[in-house]
Amino acid sequence: MPEIENKDDPVDFTYKVVSFATTPIMSTYLVAIVVGEFDYIEGKSEEGVTVRVYSPIGKKEQGTFALECAVRSLTFYSKFFDVPYPLTKYDMIAIPDFSSGAMENWGLVTYRETCILVDPLNSSQSSKQWVAIVVCHETAHQWFGNLVTMEWWTHLWLNEGFASFMENLTTDVLYPEYKIWDQFVPNTLIEALMLDSLDSSHPIEVDVGHPSEVDEIFDNISYNKGASVIRMLYDWIGDKSFKTGMHSYLIKYSYKNTETPQLWAELESASGLPVTSVMKSWTEQMGFPCINVTSQQEGADRVLTLTQSKFVGDGKANGGSSGSRWQVPVSISSPGKEVTKVMMDREAEQTTVRLANVAASDWVKLNPSVVGFYRVHYSQTELGLLCEAVKSKALPPVDRLNILDDLFSLIAAGKAKTADGLRLLQSYKDEDSYIVWNNISQVIGNLSIVIADQDFYSDWERLILELFSGIKKSVTWDPVEGEGHLDTLLRSLVITRLGKAGDQEIRQEAKRRFDLHASGGAQVSPDIRTAVYSVVASMGQEEDYNTMLRLHEEADLHEEKVRIGRTGLAAFSNKTILAKALEFSLSSNVRAQDSVHMIGSVAGRRQGRDLSWQFFKDNFVLLSERYQSGFLLSRLVKSCSAGFLCEEKAREVEQFFTEHPLSGSERNVAQAVETIRLNTAWLTRDQADIANFFKQN
């Protein structure tokens, strides 16, 4: 609330007595008081709300972009919901060491520096995009979470799922050049699908019996799956009904607590559609369906038969009961035709769809734009037609990446062979879209974990070089006039993948630019610094490690320190150097909020997998005392233990955490162990198949 009085303490004149206006009715977890020395910049929204961004002394101009985002998003939400922001001021503040990315305290939102400060000379476009997303997320909470608050942590997703959906909707309106909905699929939806395929996942609405359990559900289910199913709902009922329902919900329950059914009731009333019965199947049970597609040609028409079963990471057929079925809004596209929409009933054994005038040679794709939260298993014939559509780019980028991602998920579950996926990968040699390459990079990362210790790993790197050879020719080191935002992001991705796979031309140029940058010469563009640091680190020279240590110490912008730590110091291929990086991560030179991510970055390298796990065990007492039971520690548990590839290691991880229990990390331990076993099974199942593929290619 705004300050209403500031006067000297009548008893002790070295103190000030500051009085603030009375708050509205609110939850106590949303109260914040910050004391310190800060600069600030100020603006006003269209509605007259005073907006300020507080920053460390001397850095107030770095809050300019976040201020713009906050001012514009306040106005956007006020109009979208037709519900005004209820306070007279909206403050945002950069906190030097902060475990969360941000916290939506009502009228005083706290942020990590990297989530709110943008240096025009040294911040990358990806960092600027991240600031926009986080500010739009926290501003959405001023309505979802603050004005209307969940009844209990079981309904956390009402806060986080909706804020995660709205952050994308709002960022897309304010900054359409980011093409944020295209990025949503690989960055948000797919991440949720990966976690939700595990037996150790949880429903969106999960019973929380003790406060220690709360930290574990601040995860990709509450945030990313929540956002994904709301996006699916929004697409199903339409923008107008969504806005009407949201307005009614916010007005009816202002300054009150709610549960999920109350939201469904308002959206159902606004749309006239069975929102409650459909959405309960998505929020009250964990997992998601895999839609199996078979087809036959009947004259000029294609007739599809759709069946659903629960998608599970180990591929076991345990999803046949009605409790593991969903009401699924399914969309179907084909060349030159209107999208066909059907609702798959959870009680029906199968759904038949007739597509008029679709020839036998035409591709048919389910889930265009990847709005639905499900995977699709095509017949070999249908998949073959889609592969040709990928090569010819007859499908939009988001649908091209969806074909690849669904197939590799089926491969990981044992429903297809890895060689089939590798052959499909080769269909993407002429790809030009950043979001598709981003997904290809994710697929490469996942398979690299599985085959990390195999003799044919060098063949895998050769395939990566061949795959990226086409896009390498069209990507330049320096910006091209008029290039788009996604072109800028693509440059860093391509340089990184080629350099780490051993492209000597890329490595030499990265080293040249790094040496110039480090010696005070031509500075590396912030948009490719991550790429340059990671490529130089992959070559593993101690001299370069020491140079990065110096740059880390000299950096004033925290974004730069994080960049050097995670993608430089923690990315070397030399185990001796990685051991030094691990020790450095817990030194006074690295903020506690960043240590976890730096250790996790080491664990993500095949050379650092065993080192980081041993380091975690050796420093268990220090780490558990430093982070207590918070979600940073839970994430570290998972990142340090999930990369192994044998049953012996799975049992070792289980045994360690049985002997060293961490309250609030039980689910993360279970997910790490399950991931080890799934990847081990994948390797055991397909090792010979992959080796044979490389012999033939």
Side-chain angles (χ1 to χ4, degrees), residues 367-524:
N367 206 9
S369 301
V370 199
V371 173
F373 193 76
Y374 55 86
R375 294 202 179 279
V376 182
H377 192 175
Y378 296 98
S379 67
Q380 283 296 323
T381 300
E382 298 290 352
L383 184 60
L385 292 170
L386 286 168
C387 286
E388 292 305 313
V390 166
K391 290 179 183 177
S392 66
K393 299 189 179 68
L395 291 167
V398 72
D399 290 311
R400 299 201 295 270
L401 76 84
N402 181 225
I403 302 299
L404 181 71
D405 190 69
D406 275 354
L407 179 59
F408 264 92
S409 296
L410 290 162
I411 288 167
K415 299 296 187 182
K417 301 299 275 183
T418 304
D420 294 335
L422 295 175
R423 278 186 283 272
L424 177 60
L425 260 181
Q426 294 174 318
S427 300
Y428 291 82
K429 283 184 177 179
D430 296 324
E431 184 55 62
D432 56 7
S433 166
Y434 164 72
I435 64 162
V436 180
W437 281 112
N438 187 18
N439 184 246
I440 290 171
S441 186
Q442 290 176 345
V443 167
I444 288 172
N446 293 337
L447 185 54
S448 293
I449 292 171
V450 174
I451 63 174
D453 302 322
Q454 301 304 304
D455 292 339
F456 50 71
Y457 194 87
S458 59
D459 295 312
W460 170 231
E461 290 184 316
R462 173 176 54 79
L463 185 147
I464 294 170
L465 294 177
E466 292 173 359
L467 181 61
F468 278 78
S469 61
I471 194 66
K472 176 186 175 182
K473 295 173 184 175
S474 60
V475 168
T476 60
W477 280 86
D478 299 305
V480 176
E481 185 176 353
E483 72 178 18
H485 178 72
L486 297 188
D487 296 322
T488 303
L489 302 187
L490 177 61
R491 175 178 297 110
S492 181
L493 186 153
V494 171
I495 291 171
T496 300
R497 274 295 170 201
L498 283 168
K500 291 169 73 172
D503 185 298
Q504 292 306 310
E505 184 182 0
I506 293 289
R507 287 185 164 191
Q508 289 168 13
E509 181 62 11
K511 183 66 166 69
R512 185 188 72 81
R513 289 178 180 244
F514 174 75
D515 289 344
L516 275 173
H517 177 86
S519 62
Q523 296 297 285
V524 173

Side-chain angles (χ1 to χ4, degrees), residues 299-338:
D301 300 344
R302 185 83 61 86
V303 179
L304 305 183
T305 301
L306 312 180
T307 57
Q308 64 164 296
S309 60
K310 182 181 179 182
F311 185 96
V312 288
D314 61 8
K316 293 179 180 177
N318 60 354
S321 68
S322 60
S324 295
R325 299 169 76 89
W326 290 260
Q327 295 288 117
V328 191
V330 174
S331 298
I332 307 169
S333 62
S334 55
K337 301 292 191 298
E338 290 288 322

Side-chain angles (χ1 to χ4, degrees), residues 56 261 331 419 522 534 540 621:
S331 298
S534 64
V621 173

Side-chain angles (χ1 to χ4, degrees), residues 537-597:
S538 70
M539 294 185 276
Q541 299 301 311
E542 186 161 9
E543 177 186 357
D544 294 325
Y545 177 81
N546 292 332
T547 300
M548 288 186 191
L549 276 179
R550 174 176 62 80
L551 292 174
H552 185 278
E553 181 181 352
E554 293 172 354
D556 181 55
L557 181 69
H558 193 66
E559 175 190 331
E560 181 70 1
K561 286 185 180 292
V562 171
R563 190 157 44 213
I564 295 169
R566 292 191 197 178
T567 65
L569 300 172
F572 277 76
S573 54
N574 182 299
K575 291 186 177 182
T576 302
I577 295 176
L578 286 177
K580 291 182 179 180
L582 287 169
E583 294 297 333
F584 180 74
S585 71
L586 293 182
S587 72
S588 59
N589 295 298
V590 179
R591 293 179 183 177
Q593 66 181 23
D594 300 319
S595 299
V596 164
H597 301 291

Side-chain angles (χ1 to χ4, degrees), residues 38-42 52-68 94 113 116-123 128 131 556-557:
F38 297 91
D39 277 342
Y40 72 85
I41 55 174
E42 181 179 295
R52 288 179 175 178
V53 176
Y54 288 86
S55 57
I57 298 294
K59 296 185 177 182
K60 68 178 183 179
E61 298 307 320
Q62 293 179 17
T64 301
F65 180 66
L67 178 65
E68 174 195 303
E113 289 183 17
I116 190 171
L117 301 182
V118 173
D119 180 346
L121 296 178
N122 291 292
S123 290
K128 189 175 181 181
V131 168
D556 181 55
L557 181 69

